[in-house]
Structure formats: C-alpha cells, structure tokens
C-alpha cells in the first residue's frame, strides 16, 4: 500500500522546477546557524504576521497568555464559540450523509466529527459503526457483516488509526530538537545518519524531508524485508528520483528517514519520544503507538487486508496499525502508526493555535509554531507546505483553506484542519477503509464538512445588518445589477464594501459596465483594506483568491461614462471543483461631488436592484 500516495483518491502533484533559491528558502537557511527563533523576523507573511499562530515574544498573544494560565478546552454552544448553529448542524449532517451510498458503497462505516473555535468545542458527534464488517471477498465485491449484536457503534471517544496524521507528530518532534540545538533545518541528513548517502542522498536536507522536496520516491515495500536490518538496507539503498530541492513529491520515505534521524540523535525510540515530549505533557492519554489489547473494543476497525489490494494477508485489521510498512516496522514509524481520538487531536490543535502551549504546558515556542504555518514550498505553487503541515489545500480543507490553514489527511479516513484566521479547528475521523480501500475515493466528506463548518464562522457587517452574499455552490454564478444611471461628471464613482474568499484561478467577483444592459465590459476598480494601507488596483475589473477575512472598500471610477447612461453590475463566478467562503457585497452607492445617484440603503433604490444568484445574509 502507498500511504496517502494518491491523496485519498486524488493525485498529489510532483512539480519539477529549477533549483531556484526563493526568499523563504533563503530565510530557512538562517536556521542552520542555531535555532528557530531567527525565522520569525526573516519570513514576512507567516501565520504570526496574520495574528494567528502566536507572537515571537515571551508574552505572546492573548490566546497564548490564556493558555499559559492553564485554560483548557470545554464543551459549549455554537453561540459561545462564535459560530452559527444551523450551519454547524449542517456540518454534522454532511458527515452523516456519507454513511450511505457514496455513490455506490458507504464512504465509511462510521465517523466522528469534532469542530470548535477558541476554547469551545461546539460540535462533537459520533455516527455509524466502529466495527461492522468481518470479511470481504474481492472476487465478488461482497462483504460478510458481523451479526448486529457483535457490531460496535461509533462513539465520541472511539480510537482511530490516524495513519498519515502520524507525520505531524514526527514533524513536531523534529522541530523540538531544532529548538534544543540538536538538529539544524538546513543540515544534510547524512550529518546525523552517515549511512544515508549515495546516489545523491547526501544532498538531502532536514527541511526537504519535512516539506517533501527530497526527490525520494513515494514509497518502498519494507514489509517484504523480514528483518529490521533488511529494512534499513532498503531505505539506505534508495536513490533520489530527482535532484533534491527540484521537485515536490509526497513520500513516506521522508518521514521514515526522519524517524531514524530522531532516534539517532536522542537515543530514544519514536514511541517514547511521542509520549514524553507531546502526549504526556498535553494530557493526550488516548494517543499512542501500538495500543494495548485492552483498547481493542474502543478502536475502529480498518481493512480486511488480502492481496492483491494489500501487500499483506492479515484478514481484518482491528487494533493494529493498518499501514503495511508501519506494521512491518513494529507498529512504530515516522509516517504512520499513531492511534488517537478526536478529543486528543483537538488538544493538539488548540496547542498549536495558542503558540505551542496548552493548559500551562508548553511543547513548542511560538516562533517554532511559525515554522508549521509558513510556506517553504513557494517554488512549487499549489503544494504549499510548512514543516510537516500542508497549507492551503482546498482538496480536503474545503472552504476552510486559507494561505495559513494547516492540516493533514490519513489514508484510513482521518483529517485535521487548523484555521488560524478564525481560530477554529475541524477534525473528521472515519474508518473509510473498512472493509476495503477500494470502496472509497477522493475526499468528498472532508470537503463537504469543511465547507459547512467554514460557513458556520459568520461574516458580520459593520452595521450588523444583512449583506448580499454569493453563496458557496460549486459552479455557482450570479449578478447584482443596478438600474441605469447617468453620471453628470467624470468624478462619479461606484463604491461598496466587499469581502471575498475564492479558490485562486477558479472563482472571482467582477465589476462590469454596459451601455445597453446586454453587452458588458470590465470596469477597473481599487480596494482598500478596512485595516488601512495602500489601495490595491484591479485593472481587469475582477478580483479573487484570499482577501484576509476582512472587509475592503471598493471604488470604481466612472470617468468614461460622464454624460451618458450606464448599467452597472457585480458578478460572481465559481468555476472549479472546490469553492471558498464566497463573496459579500454591502452598502452599494454611486455618487459624484454634487449628488448621490444611487444608494442601496434608500428603499426606493434598493427596490430597483436586480439580484440573480445573490441572497441577503446576516452571516
């Protein structure tokens, strides 16, 4: 099996480029001088610059100070979390929908969804079954189910094989060692593992392991080697497929190598490091490698493993790691093998959103957390990556994706998304390979739940009333058209407040003008952030992508329309497979120095607006 090689049914790109030293890669090289704190000043545009992941100073931001005071996660209402209840409930409904045909088989036998904002967990639901299928026949695509009395329903505290979420824990352990001066980000791996050389491997750096830019292939069949020595020989014998630093390729080998490196420099096995450095300090008592037999009844079953879909013939895998290579490595591996619950992952999410501290216990410095939310892969557009964490990935984050959103998925059906811009987190754990991996493809549940949860974080207008909203429908479009107006002077301006978040290149809003209301042309405009700064020009009459989750003041000169009638409209489009949070427009006005031609807040003018595909929304 290739753990997450196909992105749960969607190919992760291998993106070759020239070996260009970007400004962030140059900034990253500063770390080799000793420690991570230099990076905070070296890398503009990191999550901390957005007020999200924690300040570099000892005092930290308000969230971090509260965490240092010992505050913990708590259950609460949607209102207490600053969320919209009906949209939050819709997120749970979306997760439940995939218990049915998706499109033919259920996507998963059961799932647990947990979502929160700040320190409030406002949604924690279990649905379906943790253990349902006893066997699977690949020749007939039929299953044998356990009798009803022997099935185990999913519970909120069900333990899941987290699969590739394990990579996040390995990455955190590596960053801790950087803090302590034992590991340098830009150092070659063979400095710590002298046997890791040959065929160009001596060029691979620690950073390249953490960002999947090492050039190593995606996977190797370690389970075919009966001894640990044979497995290590296989790893050390692997040669890069591409020159390190010139390609992005998601690879389990990166994190297996990092495991060996960490064990070498610390003298401890990875499972012991996980316990001592992360789970014990944070009180994550249901997160570990190799869960004991006594846990079996609270663990979600995974796959019926038999060739040809699996590399091993193990029958129903339940209570043991699903990944064949992790199993062959004794259940403890850098790329897979950690088991845990939704609650424990929420503790980890809160820790990182608070700058590395939870309930008074610190596991990382704020500047170290910056590394997790900072894109080191600017040379590989679309493959944004911090140290261990993926960034800005709509294919599983849905509308929660922002340039600072961090997360990961696991092949067994797990996912974690952190959105620092809204201080929110979403965990979806499903046993989607139960009974077999071929019953599911893609990340449809993750996207659907992510979209609904993103909608639960409200967008408020300055006046507290409703604004025009584009919605979040895939392939959606619409127009907001003003009645014909005739400016008397070249000083006339269209003005409004606008808020947008669309998928770059696949969604936008447009400002357009027409002489007859039939043939439209782009109307150039500028936007100014509500927080101030310099106006941004949009000469093509359209804008899209990420606007920072703040309102902007839009202004479009009507210079060319002085003395003649003009029709004006705002149009939104969503052309791709995924959507962002959408577009909001508020307080539309057209004015010139001597008079107000149109004002949306005047009832007579508002009644003359024509809205198609836009709705009024207070959130």
């Amino acid at each position: 099996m290739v753990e997450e090689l196909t992105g749960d049914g969607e190919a992760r790109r291998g993106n070759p480029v020239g070996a260009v030293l970007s400004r962030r890669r140059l900034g990253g090289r500063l770390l080799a001088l000793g420690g991570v704190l230099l990076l905070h000043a070296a890398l503009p545009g990191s999550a901390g610059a957005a007020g999200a992941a924690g300040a570099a100073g000892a005092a930290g931001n308000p969230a971090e100070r509260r965490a240092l005071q010992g505050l913990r996660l708590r259950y609460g209402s949607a209102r207490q979390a600053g969320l919209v209840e009906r949209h939050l409930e819709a997120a749970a409904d979306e997760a439940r929908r995939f218990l049915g045909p998706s499109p033919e088989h259920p996507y998963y036998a059961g799932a647990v969804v947990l979502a929160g904002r700040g320190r409030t967990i406002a949604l924690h639901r279990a649905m379906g079954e943790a253990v349902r299928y006893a066997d699977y026949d690949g020749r007939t695509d039929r299953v044998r189910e356990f009798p009803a009395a022997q099935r185990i329903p999913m519970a909120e505290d069900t333990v899941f094989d987290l699969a590739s979420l394990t990579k996040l824990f390995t990455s955190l352990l590596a960053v801790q060692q950087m803090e302590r001066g034992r590991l340098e980000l830009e150092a070659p791996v063979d400095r710590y593992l002298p046997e890791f050389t040959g065929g160009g491997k001596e060029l691979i750096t620690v950073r390249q392991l953490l960002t999947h830019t090492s050039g190593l292939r995606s996977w190797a069949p370690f389970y075919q080697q009966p001894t640990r020595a044979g497995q290590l020989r296989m790893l050390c014998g692997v040669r890069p497929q591409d020159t390190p630093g010139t390609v992005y390729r998601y690879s389990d080998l990166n994190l297996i190598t990092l495991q060996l490196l960490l064990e070498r420099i610390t003298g401890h096995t990875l499972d012991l490091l996980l316990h001592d450095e992360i789970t014990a300090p944070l009180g994550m008592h249901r997160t570990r490698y190799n869960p004991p037999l006594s846990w079996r009844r609270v663990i979600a079953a995974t796959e019926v493993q038999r060739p040809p879909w699996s590399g091993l013939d193990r029958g129903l895998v339940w209570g043991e790691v699903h990944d064949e290579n992790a199993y062959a490595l004794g259940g403890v591996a850098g790329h897979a093998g950690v088991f845990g619950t939704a609650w424990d992952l929420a503790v980890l999410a809160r820790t990182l959103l608070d700058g590395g501290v939870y309930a008074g216990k610190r596991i990382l410095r704020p500047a170290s957390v910056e590394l997790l939310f900072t894109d080191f892969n600017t040379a590989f557009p679309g493959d944004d990556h911090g140290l261990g964490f993926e960034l800005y990935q709509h294919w599983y984050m849905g509308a929660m994706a922002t340039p600072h959103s961090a997360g990961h998925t696991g092949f067994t059906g797990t996912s974690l998304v952190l959105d620092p811009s809204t201080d929110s987190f979403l965990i979806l754990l499903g046993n989607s390979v139960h009974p077999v991996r071929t019953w599911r493809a893609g990340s449809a549940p993750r996207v659907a739940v992510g979209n609904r949860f993103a909608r639960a974080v409200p967008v408020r207008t300055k006046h507290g009333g409703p604004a025009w909203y584009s919605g979040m429908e895939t392939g959606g479009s619409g127009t907001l058209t003003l009645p014909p107006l005739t400016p008397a002077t070249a000083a006339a301006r269209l003005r409004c407040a606008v808020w947008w978040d669309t998928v770059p290149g696949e969604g936008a809003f447009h400002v357009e003008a027409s002489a007859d209301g039939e043939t439209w042309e782009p109307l150039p405009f500028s936007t100014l952030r509500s927080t101030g700064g310099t106006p941004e020009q949009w000469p093509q009459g359209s804008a899209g992508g990420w606007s920072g989750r703040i309102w902007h003041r839009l202004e479009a000169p009507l210079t060319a329309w002085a003395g003649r009638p003009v029709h004006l409209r705002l149009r939104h489009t969503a052309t791709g497979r995924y959507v962002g949070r959408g577009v909001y427009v508020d307080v539309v006005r057209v004015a010139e120095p001597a008079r107000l031609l149109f004002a949306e807040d005047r009832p007579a003018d508002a009644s003359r607006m024509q809205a198609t595909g836009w709705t009024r929304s207070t959130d």
Side-chain angles (χ1 to χ4, degrees):
M1 181 190 71
V2 180
E3 175 71 10
E4 284 293 291
L5 174 59
T6 59
D8 285 338
E10 299 184 10
R12 295 175 185 261
R13 293 179 296 278
N15 208 352
V17 298
V20 179
L21 187 65
S22 71
R23 64 183 176 89
R24 290 211 172 157
R25 290 174 63 193
L26 178 61
R29 293 190 184 280
L30 296 176
L31 299 180
L33 298 178
V36 299
L37 297 179
L38 291 175
L39 191 62
H40 182 77
L43 296 181
S46 64
N61 60 26
E64 184 194 354
R65 288 196 296 271
R66 289 192 293 271
L68 282 168
Q69 293 168 2
L71 298 182
R72 300 172 180 268
L73 286 169
R74 63 181 184 275
Y75 287 109
S77 66
R79 182 175 182 179
Q80 288 171 325
L83 299 169
V84 180
E85 184 173 8
R86 68 180 184 279
H87 298 309
L88 192 64
E89 287 298 321
D93 291 340
E94 287 288 355
R96 190 174 294 106
R97 179 166 63 91
F98 288 90
L99 294 171
S102 308
E104 180 180 357
H105 300 294
Y107 188 91
Y108 36 51
V112 175
V113 59
L114 184 152
R117 191 179 187 193
R119 260 163 209 81
T120 301
I121 292 177
L123 176 66
H124 192 183
R125 301 280 172 78
M127 55 200 70
E129 293 169 307
V131 181
R132 176 176 177 177
Y133 304 103
D135 206 350
Y136 171 76
D137 186 341
R139 295 168 300 176
T140 61
D141 191 33
R142 292 183 178 178
V143 294
R144 179 170 62 84
E145 297 185 347
F146 284 107
Q150 295 179 26
R151 298 180 193 177
I152 300 177
M154 196 68 76
E156 292 176 354
D157 60 352
T158 294
V159 176
F160 286 80
D161 179 339
L162 300 178
S164 278
L165 294 190
T166 300
K167 293 178 171 70
L168 301 181
F169 292 101
T170 308
S171 301
L172 294 176
L173 291 169
V175 175
Q176 286 179 333
Q177 294 306 313
M178 293 177 202
E179 282 189 351
R180 298 166 192 176
R182 295 177 179 173
L183 186 63
E184 295 178 4
L185 188 63
E186 293 300 329
V189 174
D190 66 359
R191 177 187 298 180
Y192 309 100
L193 291 173
E195 62 271 35
F196 189 77
T197 187
K201 289 202 299 295
E202 61 276 1
L203 300 177
I204 297 175
T205 66
V206 174
R207 172 176 55 80
Q208 290 165 351
L209 296 180
L210 286 161
T211 58
H212 295 285
T213 56
S214 67
L216 294 174
R217 63 187 181 186
S218 299
W219 175 81
F222 294 103
Y223 57 83
Q224 294 179 355
Q225 297 294 324
T227 66
R228 181 77 166 186
Q231 294 162 356
L232 296 179
R233 282 196 301 271
M234 175 176 283
L235 178 63
C236 290
V238 170
R239 295 170 177 260
Q241 289 184 326
D242 298 273
T243 301
T246 66
V247 66
Y248 173 87
R249 182 185 300 109
Y250 182 85
S251 172
D252 288 349
L253 303 187
N254 291 322
L255 277 295
I256 295 173
T257 302
L258 191 61
Q259 170 193 359
L260 300 179
L261 187 157
L262 288 170
E263 292 179 342
R264 180 71 57 84
I265 65 175
T266 64
H268 298 294
T269 58
L270 195 64
D271 54 343
L272 184 62
L273 290 172
L274 174 69
H275 174 269
D276 291 351
E277 304 291 352
I278 298 178
T279 61
L282 297 180
M284 298 170 61
H285 301 305
R286 284 292 188 175
T287 301
R288 59 169 294 165
Y289 285 101
N290 287 328
L293 184 61
S294 60
W295 284 25
R296 192 167 190 253
R297 295 286 299 178
V298 298
I299 296 176
T302 53
E303 189 175 35
V304 178
Q305 286 194 350
R306 291 196 177 90
W309 60 87
S310 172
L312 296 176
D313 190 349
R314 301 168 61 193
L316 176 62
V317 178
W318 177 19
E320 293 182 314
V321 63
H322 170 263
D323 180 86
E324 291 96 331
N325 279 337
Y327 176 74
L329 291 167
V332 179
H335 72 293
V338 172
F339 286 70
T341 64
W343 177 272
D344 276 8
L345 287 176
V347 169
L348 180 67
R350 192 65 258 160
T351 301
L352 299 178
L353 289 170
D354 283 344
V357 64
Y358 179 78
K361 301 292 186 180
R362 179 174 294 286
I363 64 166
L364 285 176
R365 299 171 188 166
S368 300
V369 176
E370 292 277 0
L371 304 180
L372 313 177
F373 293 86
T374 296
D375 181 20
F376 284 85
N377 283 4
T378 54
F380 309 102
D383 293 314
D384 304 29
H385 220 289
L387 297 187
F389 282 76
E390 298 171 333
L391 309 175
Y392 208 14
Q393 299 298 312
H394 287 88
W395 68 268
Y396 71 88
M397 296 178 179
M400 288 188 71
T402 78
H404 305 302
S405 294
H408 215 284
T409 62
F411 189 81
T412 52
T414 59
S415 61
L416 166 68
V417 182
L418 315 179
D419 179 9
S421 70
T422 59
D423 198 30
S424 62
F425 49 92
L426 173 65
I427 294 146
L428 179 61
L429 305 179
N431 53 354
S432 65
V433 296
H434 185 52
V436 68
R437 69 192 72 181
T438 55
W439 272 22
R440 65 89 200 269
S443 284
R446 296 165 176 151
V447 172
V449 176
N451 285 346
R452 292 296 186 179
F453 181 56
R455 184 75 172 91
V457 180
V459 174
R460 303 299 192 194
T461 60
K462 184 176 181 180
H463 55 77
W468 291 105
Y469 178 47
S470 69
M472 296 170 57
E473 296 302 318
T474 302
S477 63
T479 56
L480 194 60
T481 308
L482 279 61
L485 306 168
T486 304
T489 71
R493 298 285 190 272
L494 165 69
R495 295 189 177 95
C496 65
V498 63
W499 188 109
W500 74 92
D501 172 30
T502 67
V503 179
E506 298 183 357
F509 75 91
H510 312 260
V511 182
E512 298 171 323
S514 171
D516 57 8
E518 298 291 335
T519 303
W520 297 87
E521 62 185 59
L523 184 63
F525 60 89
S526 64
T527 56
L528 178 65
R529 299 168 68 92
S530 59
T531 53
T534 303
E536 187 170 3
Q537 303 298 322
W538 305 92
Q540 303 303 315
S542 66
W546 167 248
S547 70
R549 290 198 66 89
I550 60 173
W551 285 92
H552 296 243
R553 179 184 177 184
L554 181 149
E555 182 171 304
L558 302 177
T559 307
W561 297 93
R564 60 193 183 110
V566 60
H567 299 253
L568 301 171
R569 75 179 185 183
L570 293 103
R571 179 169 60 92
H572 75 82
T573 57
T575 59
R577 185 175 182 181
Y578 307 109
V579 296
R581 181 62 173 78
V583 182
Y584 291 82
V585 172
D586 193 30
V587 194
V588 181
R589 294 189 173 195
V590 180
E592 51 192 356
R595 61 179 179 147
L596 188 61
L597 299 176
F598 178 90
E600 182 192 356
D601 48 356
R602 295 191 304 203
D605 286 345
S607 66
R608 300 171 64 200
M609 291 185 70
Q610 296 181 1
T612 302
W614 294 78
T615 59
R616 299 288 281 174
S617 176
T618 58
D619 52 37

